[in-house]
Amino acid sequence: DAEITQSPRHKITETGRQVTLACHQTWNHNNMFWYRQDLGHGLRLIHYSYGVQDTNKGEVSDGYSVSRSNTEDLPLTLESAASSQTSVYFCASGGGRGGLDEQFFGPGTRLTVL
Amino acid sequence: AQSVTQLDSHVSVSEGTPVLLRCNYSSSYSPSLFWYVQHPNKGLQLLLKYTSAATLVKGINGFEAEFKKSETSFHLTKPSAHMSDAAEYFCVVSDYQTGANNLFFGTGTRLTVIP
């Protein structure tokens, strides 16, 4: 069955360190998205990609970067982790046909920055 | 710009009684609207979606929602709550009319089901 996976599921790091969160999907979707979830904010879009070599900034992109070298993967990098980036991160894929289709979500990565 | 407002951050119902989770949207265009559910420590799962077809949309697990353009609402209902319905529910709007594929999430409603 097709799926979307994230790793690691839990990560503790220190302020200033670089961190990369992995996202892998086997749906063969062109569109992939990264969100962060914080209490009182719902999910907020960090970065998104509509295809290989395409990346775009979302609502809360400062301090994050992504790259898309193939269809299956969209890793999220925190260049220099800050305590404000402690959150739960969700990767999603899908949402084609101009947003008419649903997005499929991974299980999430809980990141703690000390 | 697109946005959604979930009117209740927390709803508590007794098992077997009706569920009503309220959502109002703002959109410059005819929107696509979704309800997603998130069980504790899990990812999000689609419950149902509205994409300009029938205004009453049926989803999984007995949930349904009605699109009311005059009220800019898309409330989620279920006739009889089950313990397994306890979760966080998100109302979501898509800005597909602009050609993008992005979703805008409400802040969520936590549903508690009392035995």
Side-chain angles (χ1 to χ4, degrees):
Chain A
D1 288 348
E3 61 178 356
I4 179 166
T5 57
Q6 295 182 234
S7 63
R9 295 294 311 279
H10 301 270
K11 174 77 175 178
I12 299 175
T13 191
E14 296 177 343
T15 301
R17 291 191 179 267
Q18 184 181 80
V19 177
T20 297
L21 308 183
C23 174
H24 180 81
Q25 55 101 359
T26 57
W27 292 97
N28 199 34
H29 288 148
N30 285 326
N31 304 331
M32 296 186 71
F33 308 82
W34 274 104
Y35 297 89
R36 60 178 289 174
Q37 183 179 29
D38 304 287
L39 277 175
H41 289 282
L43 274 73
R44 292 180 292 174
L45 185 63
I46 305 172
H47 281 286
Y48 59 99
S49 168
Y50 289 163
V52 175
Q53 301 302 330
D54 176 75
T55 61
N56 305 279
K57 293 181 179 180
E59 177 188 359
V60 290
S61 61
D62 287 350
Y64 304 93
S65 63
V66 294
S67 62
R68 187 89 179 270
S69 59
N70 59 50
T71 300
E72 296 79 18
D73 299 289
L74 186 70
L76 176 71
T77 297
L78 286 68
E79 302 295 344
S80 176
S83 58
S84 60
Q85 295 177 308
T86 293
S87 187
V88 181
Y89 291 86
F90 287 98
C91 180
S93 72
R97 297 198 298 153
L100 293 175
D101 293 334
E102 67 180 282
Q103 291 182 15
F104 296 84
F105 286 81
T109 294
R110 184 174 296 276
L111 176 68
T112 302
V113 182
L114 300 176
Chain B
Q2 287 73 26
S3 66
V4 290
T5 300
Q6 292 185 244
L7 300 169
D8 306 291
S9 60
H10 188 200
V11 170
S12 184
V13 301
S14 297
E15 189 175 18
T17 64
V19 176
L20 170 63
L21 305 183
R22 299 182 295 165
C23 172
N24 286 106
Y25 71 90
S26 173
S27 176
S28 302
Y29 309 97
S30 296
S32 280
L33 292 158
F34 306 79
W35 276 99
Y36 281 82
V37 61
Q38 183 182 27
H39 290 277
N41 300 312
K42 300 285 188 182
L44 281 76
Q45 179 187 17
L46 181 71
L47 270 181
L48 49 81
K49 66 179 180 182
Y50 166 77
T51 56
S52 76
T55 56
L56 182 62
V57 181
K58 295 187 183 298
I60 61 172
N61 300 333
F63 284 94
E64 62 181 39
E66 186 172 7
F67 174 73
K68 292 187 176 181
K69 186 175 182 179
S70 61
E71 299 177 10
T72 61
S73 69
F74 190 58
H75 301 335
L76 182 70
T77 61
K78 183 174 181 177
S80 176
H82 191 273
M83 294 300 295
S84 61
D85 295 329
E88 187 94 15
Y89 291 80
F90 293 95
C91 183
V92 184
V93 64
S94 166
D95 63 350
Y96 82 95
Q97 288 275 10
T98 66
N101 298 318
N102 300 345
L103 302 180
F104 296 88
F105 285 76
T107 52
T109 298
R110 181 167 298 278
L111 176 65
T112 299
V113 182
I114 303 167

